[in-house]
């Protein structure tokens, strides 16, 4: 029989896990339901923009409305995803409840008029805001608030992409570069799964991506040395592009603040630049979320998995449209545009290297995201959840190399440095 102290320790651990898990379930329900509403509304505004192309001309007007709304009522909510992460690092006043409706409205306005943005930022902020509000209602202490906020991040991320395992690991991995928190493992996983199931129960369906696996029935692809060498080469490019995206986004944010001191006018300028970019590029393919399009010839996230579904500079155009949109103050997220950038870059590299287009589009999809967010483990799991486990080794190689080359900045300024990627006295 176990010794009494060990039994007491086990019982205490079980009580703590049961309590935290009990708290995580309503967080998953709230975040999953909020994301179901968000994804439904996002589809509606995107369809409206497709139906009425002239809405693009109102992008500066929509930008001013979003900027003024945050300037007048935002307060701490202006901190966005970084505020959620900061409150996990050091719980203080929590995340304001108004963050959820503000970011929901702001993101829908951005997409209605054609801003190039994503959805993960909205999902994380709504999850964190709802978790914080629930914690205040239940008078949760600071340590449990930290766990609930992580659960909110996991539930938001997992349900918005339909990847509950990746959502859970993302919440544990994204906070500190080089370290994964295991103390909240169970409640975070429960919240992510509950969030994903809840979102699906509301009738929300996610995009389906497919990577061919040939005629093999094996559980994993037989490793091809030549193909692996090509994957390594592509991963180097994915890492460098993810680093460039993060650094240019931060630099452009600073530039907008210097040039336009009055915050509501920054997205007005950004909207004007996006309209100009549409006419310079000669296409509207890089507006909005970019997952699909009513035009069968358009470059989209889905088309990049097929030969001829992107042009050699699609990734660069999407990068430019996105950094202008988000740096100027429009709301949304960076992740889905990063998927687009990575997938179209992978498409281009596959054609240049003589590699499978669908595989390299999938590798870019997850690897550019891994480098920009410093979350290689979560992105490897995302690849498995979205594309299947057959090419898991290639997924891991691409994500881990991209992570190693992407530097320490990342797209989240509240992310802390735990273990440097390389020794350097300037870090």
């Amino acid at each position: 029989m176990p010794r009494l102290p060990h039994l007491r320790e086990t019982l205490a651990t079980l009580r703590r896990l049961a309590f935290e898990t009990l708290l995580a379930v309503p967080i998953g329900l709230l975040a999953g339901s909020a994301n179901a509403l968000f994804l439904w509304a996002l589809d509606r505004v995107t369809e409206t923009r497709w139906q009425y192309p002239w809405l693009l001309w109102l992008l500066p007007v929509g930008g001013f409305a979003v900027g003024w709304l945050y300037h007048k009522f935002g307060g701490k909510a202006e901190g966005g995803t970084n505020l959620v992460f900061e409150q996990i690092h050091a719980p203080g006043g929590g995340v304001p409840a108004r963050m959820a409706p503000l970011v929901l409205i702001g993101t829908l306005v951005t997409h209605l008029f054609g801003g190039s943005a994503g959805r993960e930022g909205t999902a994380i902020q709504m999850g964190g805001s709802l978790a914080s509000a629930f914690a205040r209602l239940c008078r949760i202490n600071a340590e449990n608030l930290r766990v609930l906020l992580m659960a909110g991040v996991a539930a938001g991320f997992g349900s918005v992409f339909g990847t509950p395992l990746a959502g859970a690991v993302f919440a544990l991995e994204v906070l500190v570069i080089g370290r994964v928190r295991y103390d909240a493992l169970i409640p975070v996983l429960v919240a992510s799964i509950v969030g994903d199931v809840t979102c699906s129960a509301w009738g929300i369906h996610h995009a389906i991506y497919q990577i061919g696996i040939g005629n093999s029935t094996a559980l994993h692809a037989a490793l091809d040395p030549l193909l692996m060498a090509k994957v390594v080469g592509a991963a180097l490019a994915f890492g460098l592009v993810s680093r460039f995206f993060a650094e240019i986004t931060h630099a452009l944010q600073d530039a907008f603040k210097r040039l336009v001191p009055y915050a509501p006018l920054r997205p007005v300028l950004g909207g004007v630049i996006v309209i100009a970019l549409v006419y310079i590029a000669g296409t509207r393919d890089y507006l909005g979320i970019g997952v699909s399009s009513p035009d069968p010839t358009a470059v989209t996230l889905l088309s990049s998995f097929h030969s001829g579904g992107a042009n050699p500079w699609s990734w660069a155009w999407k990068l430019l449209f996105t950094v202008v949109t988000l740096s100027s103050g429009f709301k949304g997220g960076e992740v889905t545009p990063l998927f687009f950038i990575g997938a179209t870059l992978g498409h281009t590299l596959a054609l240049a290297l003589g590699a499978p287009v669908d595989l390299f589009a999938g590798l870019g999809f997850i690897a550019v995201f891994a480098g920009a967010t410093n979350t290689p483990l979560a992105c490897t799991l995302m690849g498995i959840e979205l594309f299947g486990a057959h090419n898991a080794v290639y997924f891991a190689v691409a994500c881990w190399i991209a992570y190693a080359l992407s530097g320490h900045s990342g797209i989240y300024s509240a992310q802390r440095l735990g273990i440097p990627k390389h020794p350097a006295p300037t870090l």
Side-chain angles (χ1 to χ4, degrees):
M1 293 183 62
R3 289 183 296 173
L4 189 58
H6 291 176
L7 180 60
R8 288 175 178 170
E9 180 182 348
T10 301
L11 290 175
T13 301
L14 289 174
R15 283 196 298 269
R16 179 178 61 83
L17 287 176
F19 177 68
E20 292 178 346
T21 301
L22 184 64
L23 293 177
V25 170
I27 300 303
L29 292 170
L30 289 169
S33 298
N35 273 333
L37 172 64
F38 168 52
L39 292 175
W40 175 85
L42 181 60
D43 286 343
R44 302 292 81 75
V45 299
T46 300
E47 291 167 0
T48 302
R49 178 173 57 81
W50 289 342
Q51 187 176 0
Y52 302 104
W54 54 265
L55 286 172
L56 173 65
W57 292 99
L58 298 180
L59 184 60
V61 177
F64 180 81
V66 172
W68 182 86
L69 190 66
Y70 269 80
H71 183 71
K72 185 71 174 179
F73 303 106
K76 287 175 59 178
E78 181 67 35
T81 302
N82 286 307
L83 175 64
V84 177
F85 292 166
E86 287 166 1
Q87 288 299 306
I88 296 174
H89 289 308
V95 180
R98 63 182 176 276
M99 176 182 282
L102 282 174
V103 73
L104 175 62
I105 294 169
T107 303
L108 293 177
V109 170
T110 297
H111 284 281
L112 176 64
F113 297 113
S116 177
R119 50 196 173 178
E120 124 284 341
T122 307
I124 290 175
Q125 290 174 48
M126 289 197 302
S129 176
L130 292 169
S132 186
F134 180 79
R136 284 192 292 270
L137 181 65
C138 298
R139 299 183 180 180
I140 301 298
N141 61 32
E143 186 57 35
N144 285 322
L145 171 61
R146 181 181 287 111
V147 173
L148 285 186
L149 288 174
M150 294 173 68
V153 171
F157 189 98
S159 61
V160 82
F161 295 121
T163 55
L165 292 181
V169 176
F170 177 84
L172 299 168
E173 186 180 20
V174 72
L175 300 171
V176 180
I177 297 174
R179 289 180 181 169
V180 179
R181 287 193 55 162
Y182 289 105
D183 56 328
L185 189 63
I186 302 300
V188 162
L189 178 61
V190 169
S192 189
I193 293 173
V194 171
D196 179 53
V197 171
T198 301
C199 189
S200 297
W202 283 106
I204 298 300
H205 303 286
H206 302 282
I208 298 176
Y209 308 93
Q210 293 183 339
I211 295 178
I213 60 174
N215 297 320
S216 174
T217 58
L219 294 178
H220 61 84
L223 296 183
D224 181 337
L226 179 57
L227 180 58
M228 179 62 78
K230 294 177 181 179
V231 170
V232 170
L236 300 176
F238 297 148
L240 293 175
V241 168
S242 64
R243 180 171 187 168
F244 177 70
F245 180 92
E247 293 188 355
I248 195 174
T249 298
H250 294 312
L252 203 54
Q253 284 175 342
D254 293 338
F256 271 109
K257 290 177 181 178
R258 290 196 305 270
L259 290 173
V260 187
Y262 184 55
L265 290 179
R266 293 171 198 154
V268 175
L269 176 59
V272 171
I273 296 174
V274 168
I275 293 173
L277 288 174
V278 167
Y279 287 91
I280 294 172
T283 179
R284 296 188 176 212
D285 291 354
Y286 309 114
L287 297 175
I289 198 165
V291 174
S292 61
S293 171
D295 180 3
T297 66
V299 177
T300 66
L301 184 54
L302 288 171
S303 75
S304 64
F305 283 78
H306 306 282
S307 183
N311 67 62
W313 295 106
S314 293
W315 64 272
W317 279 115
K318 186 62 174 178
L319 187 152
L320 185 57
F321 273 76
T322 303
V323 295
V324 170
T325 298
L326 296 178
S327 298
S328 62
F330 284 95
K331 301 304 173 182
E334 298 92 345
V335 171
T336 305
L338 285 170
F339 292 163
F340 187 113
I341 293 165
T344 50
L345 176 59
H347 180 284
T348 299
L349 293 174
L351 296 179
L353 296 171
V357 169
D358 54 354
L359 173 60
F360 272 58
L363 294 176
F365 184 113
I366 56 176
V368 172
F369 172 38
T373 58
N374 296 299
T375 56
L377 299 179
C379 293
T380 301
L381 281 174
M382 173 174 276
I384 293 171
E385 288 185 289
L386 291 177
F387 310 127
H390 194 73
N391 294 295
V393 174
Y394 294 126
F395 297 157
V397 169
C399 289
W400 297 2
I401 290 177
Y403 164 79
L405 289 183
S406 63
H408 295 92
S409 56
I411 59 176
Y412 304 124
S413 59
Q415 198 173 46
R416 295 184 179 181
L417 178 60
I419 301 176
K421 301 179 185 180
H422 52 81
T426 57
L427 290 178

